[in-house]
Amino acid sequence: MQIYEELVARGLIAQVTDEDKIRDLVNNGKATFYIGFDPTADSLHVGHFMALCLMKRLQMAGNKPIALIGGGTAMIGDPSGRTDMRLMMTPETIQHNGDCFKKQMSRFIDFSDGKALMVNNADWLMKLNYVELLREVGAHFSVNRMLAAECYKQRMERGLSFLEFNYMIMQSYDFYMLFQNYGCNMQFGGDDQWSNMLGGTELIRRKLSKDAYAMTITLLLNSEGKKMGKTQSGAVWLDPNKTSPFDFYQYWRNVADADVLKCLRMLTFLPLEQIDEMDKWEGSQLNRAKEILAYELTALVHGEEEAKKAQEGARALFAGGGNAADMPTAEITEADLDENGCIDLITLLLKAGLVPTRSEGRRAIEQGGVTVDGEKITDFKAVIPGEKFADGLVVKRGKKNFRKVLLKK
């Protein structure tokens, strides 16, 4: 099976222009393609995960990826899928975030010897003369067609700023510049970006009378319809300092039954034949499929060693293994103890990162969702003696959130 057919079989492709030509380029390693990343944080999250896996697959097949950092577009903000404007960032913050991205991307993409590129659209967008842009690019865009685009519809009710209205033109100009300067002949993105991507494809064809192509990848949704990577506590980051390898593993271990095979196909590099065999699995066998998914993706992001530790820690906890060495940990200090050498339970939950506020901690305790060393505690005034933390004490909120808490001397 060639790479384009594999992408289809894995359910990765949502829409394409000129499918026969795209198939030929991709299968013969002739695609130089880009995917854009807005540097709105200092870490990628699992919402970017599918794009990174796609770039890796295509590079393995001989194609050349370009990771475009949106240093210029981040100064404006993408209205797609949003009900409000993004906050604007300083150039220094954007540069820092872009540097962090490249370090993380290097686990997936080989940037050596020109096999892949990372470029920043600030290099051309920040130098644009507005009147020249209107003459060179604006004349090729119909306002009526732009307002009909899905990415703008969602913002129209609350008010779409002129600043954001320019985003489609900026993204289209990116493809135009990448085509001119780097021979980029194809762009990829989530299917919510289709209108923006068509704008760039049409701009190249109108101005240069040359072919360029667009392909969108299917947005992976969980069973609740939320975008991948969002939890009640926020995004699941690829940076281990923001989301530990254990918590990353647990995120994937806890995907819905209906999503596990879809995630295995789209995100792992396991053979499709192996995944197809899992179609027959049901009941408790699906938990095994979730373990495979969690292990494979944790190994991709954090390495085999961290994946093994996360898996062993999870198995130890849910098998009643208690203080397994590979559980996620937190620390308290003697300064956190009162005059009697104890710590109150709400403070313990806060220090362990299991609740964001004292009021939420009290609510969790009173609702019976907190256990300490296997014992459920419903008294929010409860205190724990400091000596109990010598070897680590397992504090658990709900079924899936826990820490082994140690007293730092």
Side-chain angles (χ1 to χ4, degrees), residues 7-8 10-14 50 54 57 216-218 265-266:
L7 296 179
V8 173
R10 289 182 178 273
L12 283 166
I13 298 178
M50 187 184 294
L54 178 65
R57 292 184 204 279
T216 68
I217 54 179
T218 306
R265 287 190 177 93
M266 288 181 167

Side-chain angles (χ1 to χ4, degrees), residues 25-39:
L25 286 171
V26 167
N27 285 344
N28 290 289
K30 296 178 180 178
T32 297
F33 66 96
Y34 95 89
I35 298 180
F37 298 84
D38 276 344

